[in-house]
Amino acid sequence: MASFIVEFPLKTEKYQEDILNKRFEAGRRIYNSLVNVTQKRYKEMIKTKRYRTLLSSLSESEKSDKEIWKQINDMRKQYSMSEYSFHEDVKQMQRHFKDNIDSFTAQKIATALWKSYDRLFHGNGRKVYYKKYGELNSLEGKSNKTGIRIINDTLVWNGLKIPVFIDYDNHYERQAMQCDICYNRIVRKYVRNKYKFYVQVVFKGNPPVKVDAETGEIKHSIGNGDVGLDIGTRTIAISSQTDVKILELADRVQNIENQKQKILRKMDRSRRATNPDNYNEDGTVKKQGNKKVRWNKSNHYIRYQNELKELYRKQADIRKYQHECLANYIISLGNKVYVEKMNFAGLQKRAKNTEKNDKGKYKKKKRFGKSLANKAPSMLLTIINRKLGYFGEKLTEINTSEAKASQFNHFDGTYTKKTLSQRWNDLNGIKIQRDMYSAFLIMNISDDLKSFDIDKCNGRFENFYRLHNLEVDRLTGKNNLSSIAI
């Protein structure tokens, strides 16, 4: 079922903030208690020879054997490793906090933990972690009928009543409040050295259409036609029948490495001064076996920690805002959006093999971890897919290994391998920027999503080449092609 979220600020008083902070801490304790209980079962289950045998036979059959999957799932249920078993477990824990946490909110805490195990079971996670103090910053209900509710523009939850700031002069918020509410989520954000509280209301259906307040025109409408995206770790090339662009992803996200290093050095000095007994004479941390190392945090340390948290928050907000704006632009170009299937998680990992270059020096093992963390290309694709879903469309991924957009020449149908440093294609004497040409080819993918439609390529190339040259002129200023650092 389609749904959308609108976030509203809460008009909290000091005593209400204290109560909310107490409830977030209660939610964290429930979560960690549940982790403690379920981890014992999980470790017992993975010790069994039968479970290990089933997993190994599953990998041999390339995860296609339904019977093996059925046996694995039955064994997980036998060890109470299921979402409904977690709901039963959390009932006992919730009783100790019933004045603060209602049963439905406790069930959602259990569901959040189950999602972590689900990722672990299907190979997308490595470990289930406990939540540290202050790490749990959202609590949600299951409906607007009980638990966390919105009644007459007021948040009502276990005796707590907090006014919600809703701007009814805003067309979008006014239209949203006329939709049915699925459930509500309370969010705590640390903004400028202070916690601020919000309620995220999850509404049923598609979001209202945004309208320009001055002209009354509809904003962010979807276009008609094919759009090709060639997305990298830092840039994205866009090709459509009306525009061709190559843009840096989230270009307003600054490089904060220098600021981070300064703050981290301050934190390290503070930690060493406050905890001298935890360090050896050579500066390394003392090994204390099974005994947990206790760290005392000074007020200076906490202040530096909050500075670092604020730095990350600003970066995340800027990145999210720019991705939303870029996604709106992309879907305005067309309703059929194609992109190569990318394994961004694989690009983040360091190289495993130790290799030397021609001069005998060791090659660096680092890859694209920081670029992906700063630019978040996968987040952009997720946002585009969500926005297309509002119009009954979806982002289509083409077969990267079969299509080979970066190697193909549609004039003669040949494939030529290129190095990453080779940024320009020479197509029968025509020079074209590599990423923009790849986006053009992706736009003209065949229905099988494995090959390119040559007739479309030939018919659309003249228009593409004209738009391509306009974009090159925009980037270079004076047609100085060598100045494009892409």
Side-chain angles (χ1 to χ4, degrees):
M1 182 178 68
S3 62
F4 66 98
I5 300 171
V6 183
E7 185 175 272
F8 301 103
L10 292 174
K11 299 177 184 177
T12 55
E13 296 182 25
K14 181 64 174 66
Y15 81 94
Q16 293 170 332
E17 293 176 2
D18 292 341
I19 293 172
L20 287 174
N21 285 326
K22 181 181 179 181
R23 292 182 180 182
F24 279 114
E25 175 58 15
R28 185 187 74 90
R29 292 188 178 190
I30 290 173
Y31 183 92
N32 286 345
S33 298
L34 199 57
V35 171
N36 201 32
V37 170
T38 55
Q39 275 292 289
K40 291 175 183 177
R41 293 188 208 141
Y42 174 71
K43 289 175 181 177
E44 287 298 319
M45 181 179 71
I46 61 176
K47 282 180 186 176
T48 60
K49 185 177 180 180
R50 181 167 177 259
Y51 188 79
R52 294 199 304 272
T53 304
L54 286 171
L55 285 181
S56 60
S57 59
L58 187 64
S59 60
E60 290 171 5
S61 61
E62 297 181 354
K63 299 187 179 182
S64 60
D65 195 327
K66 292 182 179 179
E67 182 59 34
I68 294 175
W69 269 117
K70 185 178 182 300
Q71 292 180 46
I72 290 173
N73 289 330
D74 288 343
M75 195 166 180
R76 287 172 181 165
K77 289 178 182 178
Q78 179 185 342
Y79 279 84
S80 300
M81 296 301 294
S82 68
E83 184 176 2
Y84 296 108
S85 298
F86 287 11
H87 286 181
E88 289 298 318
D89 295 329
V90 86
K91 276 183 183 179
Q92 308 298 325
M93 302 171 189
Q94 182 263 339
R95 290 175 184 174
H96 301 285
F97 302 94
K98 62 182 179 181
D99 292 336
N100 289 297
I101 304 293
D102 63 277
S103 58
F104 285 129
T105 302
Q107 285 183 16
K108 274 303 191 78
I109 293 171
T111 298
L113 178 60
W114 167 249
K115 287 179 181 177
S116 297
Y117 276 105
D118 197 44
R119 287 192 292 270
L120 180 67
F121 291 152
H122 293 91
N124 298 323
R126 293 177 295 175
K127 187 178 177 181
V128 173
Y129 293 93
Y130 292 93
K131 287 194 180 292
K132 296 179 182 177
Y133 180 81
E135 276 192 358
L136 192 142
N137 290 309
S138 70
L139 291 169
E140 63 184 40
K142 296 182 75 172
S143 73
N144 196 44
K145 295 178 180 178
T146 184
I148 303 172
R149 294 169 289 165
I150 298 292
I151 302 174
N152 298 328
D153 299 348
T154 303
L155 176 72
V156 179
W157 183 29
N158 274 15
L160 202 59
K161 294 183 180 181
I162 305 174
V164 181
F165 181 77
I166 302 171
D167 184 6
Y168 282 101
D169 292 333
N170 183 307
H171 176 269
Y172 185 84
E173 293 188 13
R174 185 174 67 252
Q175 292 294 319
M177 288 305 297
Q178 295 176 10
C179 300
D180 293 332
I181 298 175
C182 287
Y183 60 91
N184 306 290
R185 179 186 300 120
I186 300 175
V187 178
R188 178 177 63 175
K189 297 181 181 180
Y190 196 78
V191 181
R192 290 184 286 277
N193 298 319
K194 181 185 176 182
Y195 276 118
K196 293 190 177 182
F197 298 88
Y198 303 84
V199 58
Q200 292 180 349
V201 184
V202 182
F203 293 99
K204 297 178 183 177
N206 290 333
V209 176
K210 291 186 177 180
V211 177
D212 191 303
E214 295 180 359
T215 63
E217 294 180 359
I218 295 175
K219 298 166 68 176
H220 313 317
S221 58
I222 192 169
N224 187 28
D226 298 329
V227 181
L229 305 178
D230 182 60
I231 193 164
T233 57
R234 296 181 60 87
T235 61
I236 182 170
I238 306 163
S239 177
S240 71
Q241 291 173 274
T242 57
D243 204 0
V244 173
K245 283 277 188 286
I246 183 162
L247 304 167
E248 182 184 353
L249 292 170
D251 60 336
R252 286 167 55 189
V253 172
Q254 301 170 351
N255 186 350
I256 61 170
E257 293 305 313
N258 291 337
Q259 292 172 271
K260 279 171 55 181
Q261 286 177 8
K262 287 180 181 178
I263 296 173
L264 289 170
R265 282 199 296 268
K266 288 179 183 179
M267 291 171 66
D268 185 60
R269 287 195 295 268
S270 175
R271 186 170 54 240
R272 287 176 183 275
T274 314
N275 303 275
D277 295 336
N278 289 346
Y279 292 92
N280 297 313
E281 291 182 2
D282 60 357
T284 58
V285 178
K286 286 183 180 178
K287 292 182 180 180
Q288 301 187 23
N290 294 328
K291 185 181 176 182
K292 185 177 179 181
V293 181
R294 296 288 178 182
W295 296 97
N296 297 315
K297 295 182 180 180
S298 67
N299 289 334
H300 279 102
Y301 184 90
I302 294 170
R303 192 180 75 197
Y304 301 143
Q305 202 173 32
N306 291 336
E307 284 179 16
L308 190 63
K309 193 185 294 186
E310 178 72 4
L311 204 59
Y312 281 125
R313 182 195 65 81
K314 287 180 180 178
Q315 295 286 88
D317 286 350
I318 293 170
R319 181 166 48 243
K320 179 75 160 51
Y321 171 74
Q322 286 202 276
H323 280 353
E324 292 281 351
C325 293
L326 182 55
N328 287 334
Y329 165 71
I330 289 169
I331 67 170
S332 71
L333 298 175
N335 59 337
K336 303 294 181 184
V337 185
Y338 301 94
V339 68
E340 284 185 317
K341 190 173 184 180
M342 295 285 288
N343 181 15
F344 291 111
L347 293 173
Q348 282 180 306
K349 295 177 182 177
R350 289 169 62 87
K352 292 182 179 179
N353 298 328
T354 303
E355 298 178 354
K356 293 183 179 180
N357 59 18
D358 298 335
K359 296 180 180 180
K361 292 184 177 181
Y362 287 103
K363 291 182 180 179
K364 292 181 180 179
K365 290 188 176 183
K366 66 178 185 179
R367 301 186 74 192
F368 305 102
K370 284 185 180 177
S371 295
L372 290 169
N374 288 331
K375 302 301 183 181
S378 182
M379 179 198 288
L380 174 63
L381 298 182
T382 302
I383 292 171
I384 293 170
N385 193 46
R386 168 170 59 79
K387 288 181 178 291
L388 286 171
Y390 299 148
F391 300 95
E393 302 286 351
K394 67 176 183 177
L395 183 66
T396 305
E397 292 183 332
I398 73 169
N399 190 316
T400 307
S401 58
E402 293 280 344
K404 301 176 185 175
S406 62
Q407 303 177 23
F408 188 64
N409 181 344
H410 81 273
F411 287 108
D412 53 20
T414 60
Y415 292 88
T416 306
K417 284 190 175 182
K418 306 176 186 72
T419 61
L420 280 175
S421 59
Q422 189 177 342
R423 307 313 301 163
W424 292 84
N425 290 340
D426 190 347
L427 307 177
N428 300 339
I430 303 172
K431 276 197 169 185
I432 298 180
Q433 204 282 330
R434 170 178 171 167
D435 296 334
M436 287 192 269
Y437 183 63
S438 294
F440 168 72
L441 292 175
I442 293 168
M443 178 181 76
N444 299 305
I445 195 73
S446 299
D447 293 337
D448 61 3
L449 303 179
K450 296 179 180 179
S451 58
F452 302 105
D453 191 322
I454 303 300
D455 292 335
K456 280 186 180 180
C457 290
N458 291 330
R460 295 173 174 177
F461 182 76
E462 185 177 346
N463 181 55
F464 161 75
Y465 188 55
R466 178 181 63 83
L467 296 171
H468 165 274
N469 289 340
L470 290 174
E471 177 64 2
V472 170
D473 290 345
R474 182 187 72 83
L475 291 169
T476 57
K478 293 182 180 180
N479 294 329
N480 182 11
L481 301 182
S482 62
S483 68
I484 302 180
I486 47 180

